[in-house]
Each structure stands twice: as C-alpha cells, then as structure tokens.
Amino acid sequence: MITGAEELSEQIVGLLPRLRRFARTLSRNQHDADDLVQAAIERAWRHQSQLKPGASLASWMFGIMKNAWIDDRRARGRRGEVALPEDSGDHPAVNPGDMNTEMWSVSEAMAKLPEEQRLAIALVLVEGLSYKEAAEALDIPMGTLTSRLARGRTALAAALGGAP
Amino acid sequence: MSATDEYDNETVTAYVDGELEAARRAEIDAAIAKDAALAARVDVQRKLRARLGQAFAGVEREPVPERLLAAARGPEAAPTQSPRGNVVPFPARGTRAPAQPWRAREWLAMAASLLLGVAISWRWLGAGEPVEMQGGALVASNQLATALDTQLASSQPADADVRIGLSFKARGGDFCRSFTLRGAASAGLACRAGDRWRIEALAKSDDASGELRQAATLPPAVLAAIEASIDGDALDAEAEAAAQGAGWKTTR
C-alpha cells in the first residue's frame, strides 16, 4: 500500500501543470484556480480507493476537479457571492505577466460559455483529451459531449472572431 | 457544385480533433484537396483549436506553488520529507508525466539525447535520421526535409510519416512549419534558413498511445515556440501552396 501511495503521489505531482491549466480555464483568478486544484487533490487522496485499476488518472482527476468546481460555484451562489468567475475582489486576477492579453481574451470568451460547454471545450480543445476521455471525466455520454463541444465552438468562434 | 455539404460540422470538428477512423480521415484529406470551401471550414476549426491551446500554454511554464506540491504528495508524506525551498521538483521524465516545456537553452541542452531517441525510433522505420547537426545548428534532413519542402497540410496523406501542421510567417519574415514525426512520437517546429530548415523546437509527445493524434495537440514546448515567433495568422491552404511554389523564400 505504501508503494501504491508513492506511485499515486508521483503521478499527481506529474499532472500538476495540467491540473493548474485546466483550473485556469475555469477560473481566471489564479488564486481561486489553485484553490480548486488543491481541493481536487485532497478529494482524490480521500477517495483514492475509487480509482479503478487501469483507469486514466488524468480523466479521474479532471472529473474530480469538475465536481469540486461545480460544488464551489453552487456554494458561492447560496452565499449570494458572485457566481461568475469575474470575482476580482480579494486577489488580483493574475500576477503581472502571468496572463498575456491573448490568454485574457480567450478566457473571457470562455467565461461567457454555459458551464457544461466550457468544461467540454476546456478538456478537449485546451487539454487535448480524446472524446472518450473527456466524456469519462465529465461522466456524460459521447453524444452529449459532442453536441456541447459543437455549441461551445460556435459560440467561441463568434466571440473571438477570425484573427487571433 | 461543392462537396462541402457532404460533411456536417460534427464531422469537420471530429476530423480536426483527430477523432475519425483512418479511412474516414483519408476520405476527408482527399476531399479537402479538391474542395476549397471544405478546406476553409477545416482551417477555421484548426485555428480555433490551436488558439485555445496556445492561449493557456503559459500556465504549464509557471512554477507550481509549494502548497500544491505538498497536497499532491499526499497526506502520508511527512511535511519535512523534502525541504526544497522554492525549487520545483518536476518528476522524473517517463511513464505518465506530461511533456515538460523547454525553453530555448534547455531544449538545446536536451537535444542530443532526444535526437538519439528520435533517430533510433525513426531508423526503426527504415528511414534516415530526420535531423542532423550542421554548423552548430540542428537542421532537418532526409524525409523530414523533403516533407517540409514539398508537403502541403491540405493534401498530405493521412498516414504520412511526417505530418505538417501549421505553416506561418515568423516575425523576421522566414517561413516556419510545425511537424509531427509519427513513428517517433515527436513534434517540432522548423523555420527556413537559407535553403535549409532549422529546427527551432523538438519535443516528445506525452500521448499515452505513443503517437500524436493531431497536429493540433502539439506539445507545449512546440506551441510556445510557435507563439513566440508567429507573425499574424497561420497560412491558409492557398497561401501555403503559394509559399511552397516560391520555394519558401523569405519575404519581408
């Protein structure tokens, strides 16, 4: 069991850059995004027995992050806080230089997408997951994933226009 | 009459996302070559995908906060286990770790060992080495050089050993093209330098299957190199063909 924990630890550390990137597609506030990554990792450790042998750790972790993010948004909604990721009160949205204008305009367009489309777009177009992996992480059928992707793409293309 | 309408939007995006089976992909490769409208639709989706990937590529290069590393090590890891200060202990490269982005100097230092890996797996396919050192610079050779010279993204065979991704003009006026080496599970960026292609970036893919699914899912190091040098948009099929016809001559 010790070796199992060591291996899992190593693999999660290896995934950190991708988990942080996924979080930043969900929240433009870097501090909030890292909070989300931390919450997801803590959940993963608590529920490590649910990771099926042979299953993709990345898909599993992305799925946990999705749940943590949705829970967090609902909790904020109940507390009457701004549920949109526009929250810029406590922390600066970014450290200077961390987010270039291009990342800013793309995340702004993504922030306007409905939650479910944003998740599909983030996993497939930003993270490069296959449809199968993304559907598994989001726990939805493939057909649902592809239709969310299609609607998300149409909205993004309209928001971003042609030229980068 | 255009054949565009034969392919619905979900087919076009599945093509761009690398989700089609080989036969279907080959069919669309062939259709694109004959149908400018279809090629344009594919191009729009490719650019959107590349743009999203590039927009967030920088996050992977940020140092990972210590609190996340501590959380990742798990509840059983003693907090004093590894006093590393601000140094970010990236995991040993291998099994499941994502490809680490390399900055220019780092990647040059790594080039020798990577080169060996690429060369070995490439030779395994029976082709000559795709890259070689010339005058202290890494340049494309053999099949890779030929593909960069002649192959068009809009008409290349689906199962080509070298697949061309984006072609674009760099800020200095030279043409650059991204490529993937199927057999070697590697991808890179080459820019025209005189009559050669200088390798600007080269990275292993982190794809678990060992094969890059799509040019659009380039390793972060390659995306970063593209982002750092691209001037305006990537070339469309027409501009790509024109540049190829003119021998990739630098224009300013």
Side-chain angles (χ1 to χ4, degrees):
Chain A
M1 202 54 224
I2 300 285
T3 32
E6 270 173 17
E7 200 180 300
L8 184 60
S9 156
E10 215 170 88
Q11 290 182 357
I12 295 179
V13 170
L15 276 176
L16 275 173
R18 291 182 66 192
L19 297 176
R20 293 188 73 227
R21 183 173 58 184
F22 178 50
R24 291 278 276 281
T25 62
L26 302 177
S27 172
R28 282 191 288 166
N29 180 311
Q30 188 182 343
H31 186 92
D32 287 353
D34 282 339
D35 279 353
L36 178 62
V37 175
Q38 186 164 353
I41 292 171
E42 286 163 5
R43 275 191 202 200
W45 275 109
R46 281 200 300 276
H47 301 291
Q48 56 173 301
S49 59
Q50 289 168 15
L51 177 61
K52 295 182 195 87
S56 153
L57 177 71
S59 296
W60 186 64
M61 289 290 312
F62 285 134
I64 292 175
M65 264 178 78
K66 172 211 72 168
N67 292 335
W69 181 61
I70 288 174
D71 290 351
D72 181 61
R73 281 169 68 94
R74 298 212 172 119
R76 281 168 191 250
R78 278 196 299 276
R79 292 198 303 267
E81 292 176 25
V82 184
L84 292 170
E86 253 64 34
D87 44 359
S88 53
D90 295 345
H91 312 284
V94 289
N95 289 338
D98 277 347
M99 194 185 263
N100 55 37
T101 51
E102 169 65 2
M103 183 168 164
W104 182 258
S105 48
V106 170
S107 20
E108 194 166 51
M110 283 185 68
K112 287 180 186 137
L113 294 178
E115 206 166 84
E116 52 182 41
Q117 292 175 24
R118 185 157 22 140
L119 287 162
I121 293 278
L123 288 180
V124 175
L125 275 74
V126 179
E127 285 306 318
L129 261 56
S130 69
Y131 290 180
K132 189 168 166 286
E133 290 167 325
E136 189 186 311
L138 298 177
D139 198 20
I140 53 176
M142 284 276 272
T144 310
L145 176 83
T146 51
S147 74
R148 286 178 187 177
L149 272 179
R151 278 177 281 139
R153 273 179 143 123
T154 306
L156 275 182
L160 291 169
Chain B
M1 157 159 179
S2 163
T4 293
D5 300 340
E6 284 176 29
Y7 300 104
D8 60 19
N9 286 334
E10 287 205 10
T11 306
V12 169
T13 51
Y15 172 80
V16 170
D17 292 337
E19 292 283 338
L20 295 182
E21 284 167 19
R24 184 77 166 150
R25 198 173 59 210
E27 182 192 326
I28 295 185
D29 278 335
I32 287 170
K34 291 190 222 116
D35 183 348
L38 178 60
R41 286 169 64 204
V42 166
D43 192 51
V44 166
Q45 293 302 334
R46 246 189 208 139
K47 278 183 182 151
L48 180 65
R49 191 180 163 119
R51 188 173 176 190
L52 289 180
Q54 284 166 41
F56 293 97
V59 178
E60 278 204 316
R61 291 192 294 276
E62 293 171 6
V64 177
E66 183 58 39
R67 64 177 172 125
L68 296 186
L69 286 163
R73 287 186 202 112
E76 283 168 41
T80 52
Q81 182 196 13
S82 47
R84 295 173 207 240
N86 289 325
V87 178
V88 179
F90 278 123
R93 286 188 300 131
T95 53
R96 304 187 67 155
Q100 297 301 334
W102 298 342
R103 281 151 225 245
R105 275 181 195 81
E106 289 163 349
W107 95 258
L108 260 174
M110 301 288 265
S113 61
L114 177 64
L115 205 63
L116 196 64
V118 171
I120 286 168
S121 36
W122 194 256
R123 202 179 283 132
W124 203 59
L125 298 174
E129 277 124 11
V131 283
E132 62 185 9
M133 290 298 284
Q134 268 186 18
L138 207 51
V139 299
S141 58
N142 296 313
Q143 210 174 345
L144 176 59
T146 309
L148 289 166
D149 280 339
T150 60
Q151 207 164 298
L152 296 177
S154 52
S155 62
Q156 60 195 344
D159 59 351
D161 290 334
V162 178
R163 280 186 63 92
I164 300 294
L166 294 173
S167 299
F168 60 88
K169 195 176 274 191
R171 297 216 173 84
D174 298 324
F175 285 106
C176 299
R177 312 187 82 193
S178 73
F179 60 87
T180 57
L181 300 173
R182 296 208 135 208
S186 301
L189 177 69
C191 292
R192 197 71 173 158
D195 59 351
R196 306 197 181 283
W197 292 96
R198 195 176 54 235
I199 306 295
E200 302 288 344
L202 190 62
K204 281 280 188 190
S205 153
D206 65 336
D207 195 308
S209 69
E211 184 176 277
L212 287 169
R213 284 188 302 122
Q214 260 293 328
T217 57
L218 289 169
V222 178
L223 286 174
I226 293 173
E227 193 180 13
S229 55
I230 192 167
D231 183 18
D233 282 340
L235 304 183
D236 59 19
E238 200 178 321
E240 185 194 30
Q244 194 267 330
W248 304 104
K249 289 227 167 53
T250 301
T251 51
R252 284 171 216 274

